[in-house]
Amino acid sequence: MNKGIIFGWIAIFGLLASCGNPIKDTDSTVKEEPGTVLTEEAASDAAESSTEIPVVETLKDTDTELIIPDGLKEGQSFWVGYFKRNMAEPNIGNDLYVDEGIYWNRKNKISISIDNIDNGRVKGHSVVAGNDRPFEGTVDVITDSASGKQTQYFTVKEPGDDKYDGVFTFTLTDYDLMGTWEAYNDLEIKYRKYHLQKKVYQYDPDIMLQNQNQYVDWNKYTEETEIMEYDEGEIEEWIRKSFSASTDMIYKINASNQLLKKEDVENLKRGDLTIIRNTIYARHGYSFKHRPLRIFFDAQEWYIPVHADIKSEFTEIEKKNIQLLLSFEKNAEEYYDYFGRG
Amino acid sequence: MHLGLQKYAPRILYYGVLGWFTYLMLAITVQYIPIQFNVAFLRIKQDEIALVHYQWAFFTHVYTSIVVIIAGIFQFSNYVRTRYPVIHKNLGKVYVGLTLLLASPSGLVMGYYANGGIYSRISFMLLAVLWFYFTYKAFRHIKQGQFELHRKFMLRSFALTLSAISLRLIKWGLVSTLELPPMDTYKIVAWAGWVVNLAVLEVYFLVSKK
């Protein structure tokens, strides 16, 4: 009997020596977009983790004539469309290939706003990929002698103190804004083009997601290794990636127009909780820094990125729902597929 | 060597496996030291932890139940019971005292507020009641010198004590294989976690009678 106990405890200590926390996932974090966090502690966490694109929160106040809408004016119109890779120019960056059938051609939704024109001097700003940047430059109006049609030719420059600043060159008619963009620095995608339409942004708490595409977070995946044996002892190792994704529940639950109860969210999977929470931000025109989220919401026809920081925009219902969704998200992140139930 | 392994293997398995999972339960318990209302499981019990009686029930249950598990581990060892009867008796008193006075009643209160609707609540409250009943009966039987009945009821009591472990193990197994949504999984393990243990035990009793 002595030996049995001794062997048993040796086994225990052997297992104890294994690294890592067996009851929960201590590395897990719930991604909170920097422009949306409500608590100070979470804000510093989010700022630390967002290294993709440097955030320049304050706009340069160089000219008192500059009219920049702070907060959101209801019914404000923007030029909206996709900021695409300009294939005619030499770009280093390629499509992001994630898995079979899942890839991203590096396009982002952009909104351009022309805020002030005075004597040929133009001031405005653009919001894309989590960046809210001002620009200023010149405009020339050319009238076509034959048709009498007026076209405005713009050349506007972003300040240059942000890594992603560049120059916009575009034409503007009543219905279209189209042109190209070139970065000051040698970015992966240095040359872009765009063809934008006029759209009105309006905060609508009732708007629901349309079934455009599935949310795939390619950063969160589990890998399964399959070893397949073929003829004559040939062995191949296949690695299958299972991505964290969303279900149909994201089309049914609205976190902006109703106060959610625990029963509404307790049975939702991780991906659903994330999307339902981030849809609140999307309704406010938040421009996402996290790529998988950005690609997902860009595909929504009603979505317009108009702001890089929406902390002061939330309604009381939304604030409560965000807290509820976050606590369930964090619980799911840490404990769902581990032994500990907390 | 073979003979020795045959003799000791079940015990190695018992203490090894139980020891490992007890260590995990200890790690879970440690998360709740010192007392705070927004850590781990409590993050999704924010409505309940605001209630004073739930605060008392939760922390009483969390702090005492781990001791109950540890106290029970060596109680089924013939070696300990025959060679060191005083240890067996004292650990037994710890087990019975903590369970009847603290761990079971607090479990009943927590069960009333369980996640997963009426279905889970009935399960956890039933678990608390049965746990109390089996432990109490086992205590009565040894007071009356009825060793065999004492043993049987203590086995039942410990089977329910171990439901803390089997519930989490089954949950982990379900999630790894079926990947069901979290609350659906919870409703299944709320029952499976202890019913399976008891069922296996009762089958064992039936089979060993023959």
Side-chain angles (χ1 to χ4, degrees), chain A residues 267 269 335-336 338 342, chain B residues 31-32 115 171 179-180 183:
Chain A
N267 201 28
K269 291 194 170 184
Y335 295 105
Y336 176 66
Y338 276 70
Chain B
Q31 291 175 117
Y32 298 105
N115 291 334
K171 172 213 135 189
E179 277 184 41
L180 298 169
M183 208 43 62

Side-chain angles (χ1 to χ4, degrees), chain A residues 158-214:
Chain A
E158 294 174 305
D161 52 350
D162 181 299
K163 177 178 163 192
Y164 295 96
D165 279 351
V167 188
F168 288 94
T169 315
F170 55 85
T171 59
L172 189 62
T173 63
D174 280 338
Y175 304 108
D176 295 88
L177 186 159
M178 45 195 273
T180 56
W181 176 88
E182 184 182 326
Y184 298 133
N185 299 311
D186 288 326
L187 305 175
E188 263 193 33
I189 313 283
K190 190 181 161 97
Y191 304 93
R192 289 196 183 255
K193 64 175 186 196
Y194 43 93
H195 184 163
L196 315 178
Q197 258 75 51
K198 210 169 205 176
K199 278 193 169 182
V200 175
Y201 167 76
Q202 187 98 23
Y203 168 66
D204 179 7
D206 296 324
I207 202 155
M208 300 297 285
L209 291 173
Q210 297 146 359
N211 197 341
Q212 297 282 5
N213 55 351
Q214 200 190 39

Side-chain angles (χ1 to χ4, degrees), chain A residues 233-244:
Chain A
E234 255 186 64
I235 297 179
E236 268 184 39
E237 199 180 87
W238 286 81
I239 300 177
R240 195 175 355 127
K241 284 182 178 174
S242 303
F243 294 100
S244 155

Side-chain angles (χ1 to χ4, degrees), chain A residues 12 15-16 20 22-23, chain B residues 18-28:
Chain A
I12 295 170
L15 288 164
L16 282 182
I23 61 164
Chain B
L18 197 51
W20 169 245
F21 285 111
T22 304
Y23 162 67
L24 294 188
M25 293 309 297
L26 192 59
I28 291 174

Side-chain angles (χ1 to χ4, degrees), chain A residues 3-29:
Chain A
K3 289 186 204 156
I5 298 181
I6 292 169
F7 283 132
W9 283 109
I10 289 173
I12 295 170
F13 284 120
L15 288 164
L16 282 182
S18 62
C19 0
N21 189 328
I23 61 164
K24 67 184 208 179
D25 184 355
T26 44
D27 287 332
S28 72
T29 47

Side-chain angles (χ1 to χ4, degrees), chain A residues 1-5 7-9 11-12 15-16 18 20-24 222 224 242 262-263 265-269 327-328 330-332 334-342, chain B residues 8 11-12 15-16 19-21 23-25 27-28 31-32 40-41 43-45 47-48 74 77 79 115-116 165 167-169 171-172 175 179-186:
Chain A
M1 194 48 222
N2 284 1
K3 289 186 204 156
I5 298 181
F7 283 132
W9 283 109
I12 295 170
L15 288 164
L16 282 182
S18 62
N21 189 328
I23 61 164
K24 67 184 208 179
T222 52
E224 284 160 27
S242 303
K262 198 162 94 156
E263 292 75 35
V265 303
E266 64 186 5
N267 201 28
L268 292 173
K269 291 194 170 184
S327 50
F328 275 89
K330 285 177 182 160
N331 187 65
E334 284 186 65
Y335 295 105
Y336 176 66
D337 45 8
Y338 276 70
F339 175 82
R341 187 170 59 91
Chain B
Y8 289 120
R11 284 170 221 172
I12 296 172
Y15 289 109
W20 169 245
F21 285 111
Y23 162 67
L24 294 188
M25 293 309 297
I28 291 174
Q31 291 175 117
Y32 298 105
F41 182 62
R43 271 196 306 232
I44 60 172
K45 303 290 290 180
D47 291 335
E48 290 84 354
F74 290 100
S77 158
Y79 182 81
N115 291 334
I165 292 171
L167 180 151
R168 288 172 173 82
L169 201 56
K171 172 213 135 189
W172 178 81
V175 160
E179 277 184 41
L180 298 169
M183 208 43 62
D184 291 346
T185 309
Y186 191 73

